[in-house]
Amino acid sequence: MSYTLREIVARLGGEAVGDSARPLKGVATLDSAGPEDLAFLTNPRYRSKLAGTRAGAVILGPGDRDAATIPCIVSDNPYAYYARAVALFNPEIAARPGVHPSAVIEAGAVVDPGAEVGPHAVIGAEARIGAGARIGAGSIVGERATIGAHTRLYAGVTIYHGCSVGERCVLHSGAVIGSDGFGMAREGGRWIKIPQVGAVRIGDDVEIGANTCVDRGALDDTIIEDGVKIDNLVQIAHNCVIGAHTVIAGCAGISGSVTIGRNCMLGGGMATVGHISVCDNVAISAYTLVTKSITKPGTYTAGMPFMPHAQWLKNAVHLRHLDRIARRVREEESPGEDRERNDD
Amino acid sequence: MSYTLREIVARLGGEAVGDSARPLKGVATLDSAGPEDLAFLTNPRYRSKLAGTRAGAVILGPGDRDAATIPCIVSDNPYAYYARAVALFNPEIAARPGVHPSAVIEAGAVVDPGAEVGPHAVIGAEARIGAGARIGAGSIVGERATIGAHTRLYAGVTIYHGCSVGERCVLHSGAVIGSDGFGMAREGGRWIKIPQVGAVRIGDDVEIGANTCVDRGALDDTIIEDGVKIDNLVQIAHNCVIGAHTVIAGCAGISGSVTIGRNCMLGGGMATVGHISVCDNVAISAYTLVTKSITKPGTYTAGMPFMPHAQWLKNAVHLRHLDRIARRVREEESPGEDRERNDD
Amino acid sequence: MSYTLREIVARLGGEAVGDSARPLKGVATLDSAGPEDLAFLTNPRYRSKLAGTRAGAVILGPGDRDAATIPCIVSDNPYAYYARAVALFNPEIAARPGVHPSAVIEAGAVVDPGAEVGPHAVIGAEARIGAGARIGAGSIVGERATIGAHTRLYAGVTIYHGCSVGERCVLHSGAVIGSDGFGMAREGGRWIKIPQVGAVRIGDDVEIGANTCVDRGALDDTIIEDGVKIDNLVQIAHNCVIGAHTVIAGCAGISGSVTIGRNCMLGGGMATVGHISVCDNVAISAYTLVTKSITKPGTYTAGMPFMPHAQWLKNAVHLRHLDRIARRVREEESPGEDRERNDD
């Protein structure tokens, strides 16, 4: 598949500068690109690579147009343009309608004729698979669960009974949607299970990574709003609400009954305690444990700097007795200082 | 399904107060409940919701009985009562005895006639599936593994060869029981594998969450005792012993040859180093790394408070040089202080 | 299966000391061993157990030979010898060549006649399965993916299209190789997906743990070099390069475009930010977040000591205001101190 600069711009917008008749066959990094590749400059740190690239053309922003000595596409949002260019050169393979002979479709399940159900998949009783959806090999859609149009489950995805997934979603292998929230009550020295009778509701254009878990609610549902993007090995506990267009990086863990606002960015390995809320437009740094609600947009961080082990040994011991150090530096507690310490 | 307050109390105990003939159809939160719902008050923080609830009745403790203006069920343990009420209104669907035609049962496997084996499940050679057990779609029970009576494996659970699971357990999708412990030895600049020839033994009434891993032992077995409850995405390394009725929240990681006592509560994302032991009745806070054995019951914590990023930047830099700060505040090391610093 | 000390030494090397005609039937710990077991002493901490062991013989190093009162095998590397002894007494079951009738082999896939493909496995179009490879029940090998000779996929492993796995690898249940890297671009208040058109290339003699994820690259491939050993529930993001013979313990998370050198040891739950590199021969302690490149071999650590909760409460509050404490102990900033603080 091959496009000229002109043909690309006709489809994706932007401004072609230089020889726009050159045929291009794919996207590559500035370092790896050859004369038939379209490269991209989206990080100023790499501007120096423009000089040496062998790329046939490069996507860049208005501020870099004068630096290019090869044909280029000028875009106000070069990174998004790069995303669309990769999609242009690597079109999604459409669903191949039909149900594999080895798949099991249980009584009352409705599979759209335009959907694709792969080998060894199981579609549970009264489940619904929408138009153009693709259910990968070995994936399991539980009773009464619904999968929206053009949603793709890769191989080995599990959707528990009664859950719903919207349109144009992508769920990667090993994702588990609708397992029981972790609910139990103490009685007589044992834990008794609290049955989890809510479900999971996932909106449109959501992406969920490999081996990520989203638990069903205890009574009400766990909700993932439109446009949310979740990476691999993430835990979303029961009765969370994840706001639209929020992204959650790998290995994060959101405890029960937490509400995350819209357009948040939750860093890798971050976590929250339960029953708090985070407002819109909050970024949480990697590996940060959020222990109370956040009401102001901004970036929040916790964490220790890493250092050579010998240096850490010398320093960490004092972490046990900061109170003693603090007392020595402060002759008396002033009310003003107490107030300051509490406002966070 | 509908029960009156009187019928509920007849089955579950407690004391009905007020109109006990009202038919109820389910359990709901105080906020969501309608006139046919049974709500519950288990957290004093929500007592104010009693006034505005539309619930038909409410479960509560003796201290709250006077606050209720609607019929109620008074119980000494309202949270456990709530659990049992949800179970009453949402009875477990019993196993539908039989083996799905697409399931594979290998030579010498014994499946109780009352067990249910779902589509595409695989029961390995000489494995045993007990009375009333339910093996979900695509689950794999390895050679010589045993699944006890009334235990439920949801879809896509993997039990490796030779492992045993007790009675009335629940294992969620993606759980992996009996994968190799992480054992290797250094030889000639490479790592050679130490075959892991132990197994995993899981007791009765254990619940294991989605995508949780419990590794088989190197020589002896890895043991999960009766009544343990483990959340999602937890790692239990080889040769651990997890004591009865301990709960482990999501994303926790227990290293090899660790013994955890009975009735412990391990918080989300906590972890331990290997070859330590934790006594009974210990609670570990979320995200806390336990680096040595614990011999006294109580709660243990490590962690940095989170804060706005700018504040963290100002503070974190000093974490590299606490030893310098400590030296400045202390003119000389007293032997007494050294002793104090060491006892933990 | 039974071997005498002499027969073991003939196969595995080392020096037999004492009665080398005693038949031994397995390997066991010093504590558990009986007269037909071969035990091992590899940790000086356990030397005292030699006196009381009932083992038939013991593997140990030259420095311990005089402490043994039972027959022994003296080896310069007793721990590696123990690994090989376990393998000797517990030989790997060879592949049983053939494709299970329930497995699905798609058009153009090539399965070596000596390979074993288990029940309900799916081998995608034009995939290649090498000699002596074993594909476990329900495992999925995607289109055009290749699995090298003698590699073993346990049950429920997923290999996405176009990925390659070398020879003599072991992949445990739930491992996902080649899911999309977490790439997206912001446009008009939403995230648009960046298609990930690279793949994953895994070398020879690699072991990957249960439920571990290795993402495919955005354009170039994600690379796991020969001899790497990765534990359970680990996340390897797109475009990482993991150097040969590096080990990564459970629950670790490596962000995108990170290069890890050879012979590194990454502790449980450690993590890195993206776009950094770590040189050869680096050890990272458990739960340490690496926030910038490491250019010198050695051990690196971050972390808070854990302590009884009441003590943590008293200390943690000061973590919010270390800058204030630091200012009080330092009358003025000297340029020398600033330089010292920055070199790490």
Side-chain angles (χ1 to χ4, degrees), chain C residues 216-228:
Chain C
R216 68 194 312 115
L219 293 168
D220 301 327
D221 296 339
T222 303
I223 296 171
I224 311 290
E225 291 186 353
D226 294 346
V228 166

Side-chain angles (χ1 to χ4, degrees), chain B residues 187 193 269 301 315 320, chain C residues 84 207 263 287 309 322 344:
Chain B
E187 184 187 71
K193 183 176 175 64
T301 307
N315 283 283
R320 292 188 184 284
Chain C
R84 296 194 181 284
E207 187 152 353
N263 301 308
Y287 258 28
H309 190 71
L322 287 180
D344 52 12

Side-chain angles (χ1 to χ4, degrees), chain C residues 187-227:
Chain C
E187 184 188 71
R190 300 170 166 251
W191 294 101
I192 61 171
K193 183 175 174 68
I194 300 170
Q196 306 288 293
V197 299
V200 177
R201 293 207 318 265
I202 294 173
D204 300 331
D205 302 299
V206 171
E207 187 152 353
I208 293 185
N211 287 338
T212 278
C213 304
V214 182
D215 282 347
R216 68 194 312 115
L219 293 168
D220 301 327
D221 296 339
T222 303
I223 296 171
I224 311 290
E225 291 186 353
D226 294 346

